Amino acid sequence: MRRGTGMEEHGTTQPGGGTTPVPGAASGLRRPLLRRVLPTAAAVGLGITGIAGVAHGAVGSTQRSAADFPTWGTRWVVHASADTGSPAVGMINASAPGKDRITADYQVNTGRRVCEGSACSTYMAHLTGPVGGFLTVVAVDIPQDRLPGIPVQGGPPPRPDASRQEMLARAATWLTADNGSPVPYSQAEVWRDGYRQDCSGYVSMALRLPTPGTNTVGLATDRGLTRPISLGALKGGDLLIDASGDNNNRHVVIFEKWSDAAHSSYTAFEQRGDHGTDHRSLTYGLPGGDPEFRPYRPVVFGD
């Protein structure tokens, strides 16, 4: 079989949890994954003609975002500075709910919570498109309370190389963790570090996600965890995921490096049935390989 019998996916753990505690907020406040009500946070008096604008007084990191983000609701005001009381310089979703996607190069923790329904955040994102200015992160349709992978002004910059190296090093520990042997495969058992012993539990361990780990569908669909990329963009620590089917055929592997200049195969870490933890050459997702695999990048890497 493609990955060994017993297969890879644990069928009961829900994808990714879906919510993240509000930074600095009271306990118990959570942010929903999907938001269906219209925002009252949007200021009145700015019509569609006010959509254009450029931010004034923007300071902080100028590192560009490699991803864009969906939004929700209508008539969210874009402000001149990281203060919801500052002048309006534009608007998103002026004509339809969730019409606009935004890009941002950094975000600011204002210390002032903005809420709409149960969605709250103290962060404002500095937009680079489609309007320049500052937008409350509450307007962004993600389960987090700040933008994943985007630098925080005044905070430490992302360390993609260190994060990738750490992930690969953690993945390698399971090759010999069972008294010099690989950690055995199991969809039901958890290893002594608290992570489930299937493929998605293994990847969750390597990424330091909460125990016992999310499942393969969560790794592929939770945009707080990963985002789709192209095959040519693969770097060490990225994932190749087959999230279709059921727990008998879903699978995820950790890309390490290309095996040759032609990119005809790659070495990867995986947790597979009838074997356990393995480090081997694969072609999942490549031309001529299993076409159901798609490449994804963990957002923790910040690129």
Side-chain angles (χ1 to χ4, degrees), residues 47-138:
I48 295 177
T49 57
I51 296 176
V54 178
H56 301 285
V59 294
S61 169
T62 57
Q63 179 175 341
R64 302 290 295 192
S65 168
D68 63 359
F69 299 91
T71 60
W72 69 286
T74 58
R75 299 178 63 82
W76 289 100
V77 169
V78 180
H79 295 272
S81 66
D83 181 350
T84 55
S86 66
V89 295
M91 181 181 289
I92 63 167
N93 300 344
S95 59
K99 172 181 176 292
D100 296 320
R101 296 181 69 90
I102 59 99
T103 55
D105 55 359
Y106 68 94
Q107 55 194 324
V108 179
N109 187 352
T110 68
R112 298 177 60 184
R113 189 181 307 124
V114 173
C115 294
E116 177 58 36
S118 61
C120 297
S121 179
T122 61
Y123 287 84
M124 293 190 74
H126 178 245
L127 303 192
T128 58
V131 180
F134 289 85
L135 176 71
T136 173
V137 172
V138 176

Side-chain angles (χ1 to χ4, degrees), residues 203-239:
V203 171
S204 297
M205 179 278 297
L207 285 171
R208 293 186 182 272
L209 300 181
T211 57
T214 188
N215 64 18
T216 302
V217 174
L219 288 169
T221 61
D222 187 341
R223 290 296 163 262
L225 298 178
T226 65
R227 64 179 180 85
I229 60 172
S230 66
L231 281 172
L234 280 166
K235 300 179 182 179
D238 290 336
L239 308 177

